[in-house]
Amino acid sequence: EVYRLRTVHNTNSFWRPVCWMVAIIFAIRFGWHSKHFLEQEKLEYPPIKRHHRRLHKMSFVQIFSTKFVLEVLGAAGAIWGFFEAATIRTPHNKEQFHLIAGTVGGLFLFRYISVILDFCLCFASSPALSGERVSAVARWAEMCIAKMVLEVFGSGGAVWGFSDIFGLRTPYTLGVWRPMAIAMSALFFLRWIWQMCGFYKQEQELLLLKPSPTMETEVTSNDEEPQMHDVELEMSDLQFHEEDNKD
């Protein structure tokens, strides 16, 4: 609906069955992940991978097809659904939200491509993209913006969209599903604040562990002092030998 692909004529005939099929696939995936999670919890150490990550083609397809649905389409749908549930998107500003949600989806598509390149180790050889400042900005953007859109807005939008897809949300049940979607976003917002506090503490610990420029200069000066002392000793030895030769 954000990109004007869903209309009144093809909603029930095409898009609703597609959504049901995707929901069933992700339910099976959820059970599969839960099974592996419980199996790994029983182990003392996680299993060691025998092959390089780029050789696992089926895992690559499974991971990034899931990310495309959840993080690219989900980002645009989160903006679209949450702001309708919060009564911010109305028929009067629907065109503006087409532009806003579509832009957010495009930005998260760019993020999705960068994650693929990072997975393929394409950034490891580029100092400009793997520098400390770039990684710090990426961490803050991921925590502040991506999690806010995908988890806070996405939770409320997911409840709102789910109720519509399965025919549970009707004009008579709006009073039930609207508070439920907003309450879900409020819970995930509190969770986001808790995660932000932990993330901020970790960043402060990293700054404390990072050596300051004054410490680096002190270390280098201390390394140079013995070398200068050795040179002075060698010069004094030469002068002493020259005086002996003269005598």
Side-chain angles (χ1 to χ4, degrees), residues 168-233:
L168 302 175
R169 175 162 56 87
T170 62
Y172 304 101
T173 59
L174 286 177
V176 175
W177 289 103
R178 194 183 300 278
M180 193 179 296
I182 295 173
M184 185 65 67
S185 291
L187 289 175
F188 273 80
F189 179 70
L190 295 175
R191 174 177 174 268
W192 178 78
I193 292 175
W194 178 69
Q195 289 178 342
M196 279 293 297
C197 293
F199 175 75
Y200 179 76
K201 290 179 181 178
Q202 289 180 358
E203 290 294 315
Q204 292 300 313
E205 290 175 358
L206 289 176
L207 291 176
L208 293 175
L209 294 174
K210 179 183 175 183
S212 61
T214 56
M215 293 176 62
E216 292 178 358
T217 54
E218 288 177 359
V219 170
T220 54
S221 63
N222 292 331
D223 292 338
E224 291 175 357
E225 284 178 0
Q227 296 177 0
M228 295 299 294
H229 184 65
D230 293 339
V231 172
E232 291 175 357
L233 288 175

Side-chain angles (χ1 to χ4, degrees), residues 87-103:
T87 66
I88 298 174
R89 178 170 69 84
T90 62
H92 303 289
N93 58 9
K94 190 175 181 179
E95 293 299 323
Q96 287 82 357
F97 271 94
H98 272 292
L99 179 61
I100 294 171
T103 303

Side-chain angles (χ1 to χ4, degrees), residues 23-239:
I24 293 171
I25 292 173
F26 272 78
I28 296 172
R29 174 181 174 270
F30 173 75
W32 180 61
H33 277 282
S34 300
K35 173 179 173 293
H36 282 275
F37 175 78
L38 295 175
E39 289 176 354
Q40 290 182 1
E41 285 295 312
K42 297 177 183 177
L43 299 176
E44 212 174 299
Y45 300 100
I48 299 174
K49 292 182 179 180
R50 297 182 179 180
H51 303 286
H52 194 271
R53 65 172 74 177
R54 285 176 285 186
L55 299 178
H56 297 279
K57 295 181 180 179
M58 290 303 298
S59 298
F60 178 87
V61 173
Q62 185 267 333
I63 291 170
F64 286 100
S65 60
T66 302
K67 279 184 173 291
F68 181 78
V69 174
L70 294 178
E71 299 182 5
V72 180
L73 303 181
I79 301 296
W80 187 259
F82 170 77
F83 285 98
E84 184 183 11
T87 66
I88 298 174
R89 178 170 69 84
T90 62
H92 303 289
N93 58 9
K94 190 175 181 179
E95 293 299 323
Q96 287 82 357
F97 271 94
H98 272 292
L99 179 61
I100 294 171
T103 303
V104 170
L107 292 174
F108 274 78
L109 177 63
F110 176 77
R111 171 182 172 271
Y112 170 77
I113 295 171
S114 68
V115 170
I116 293 177
L117 295 177
D118 190 24
F119 181 86
C120 297
L121 303 178
C122 295
F123 291 158
S125 60
S126 177
L129 296 175
S130 59
E132 185 177 350
R133 291 184 178 179
V134 175
S135 61
V137 171
R139 288 196 304 270
W140 278 96
E142 183 73 19
M143 190 66 203
C144 297
I145 301 174
K147 281 187 171 292
M148 172 65 77
V149 173
L150 294 176
E151 297 181 6
V152 179
F153 296 157
S155 59
V159 173
W160 189 254
F162 172 84
S163 61
D164 184 28
I165 291 167
F166 288 92
L168 302 175
R169 175 162 56 87
T170 62
Y172 304 101
T173 59
L174 286 177
V176 175
W177 289 103
R178 194 183 300 278
M180 193 179 296
I182 295 173
M184 185 65 67
S185 291
L187 289 175
F188 273 80
F189 179 70
L190 295 175
R191 174 177 174 268
W192 178 78
I193 292 175
W194 178 69
Q195 289 178 342
M196 279 293 297
C197 293
F199 175 75
Y200 179 76
K201 290 179 181 178
Q202 289 180 358
E203 290 294 315
Q204 292 300 313
E205 290 175 358
L206 289 176
L207 291 176
L208 293 175
L209 294 174
K210 179 183 175 183
S212 61
T214 56
M215 293 176 62
E216 292 178 358
T217 54
E218 288 177 359
V219 170
T220 54
S221 63
N222 292 331
D223 292 338
E224 291 175 357
E225 284 178 0
Q227 296 177 0
M228 295 299 294
H229 184 65
D230 293 339
V231 172
E232 291 175 357
L233 288 175
E234 290 177 0
M235 294 295 292
S236 62
D237 290 338
L238 288 173
Q239 291 176 0

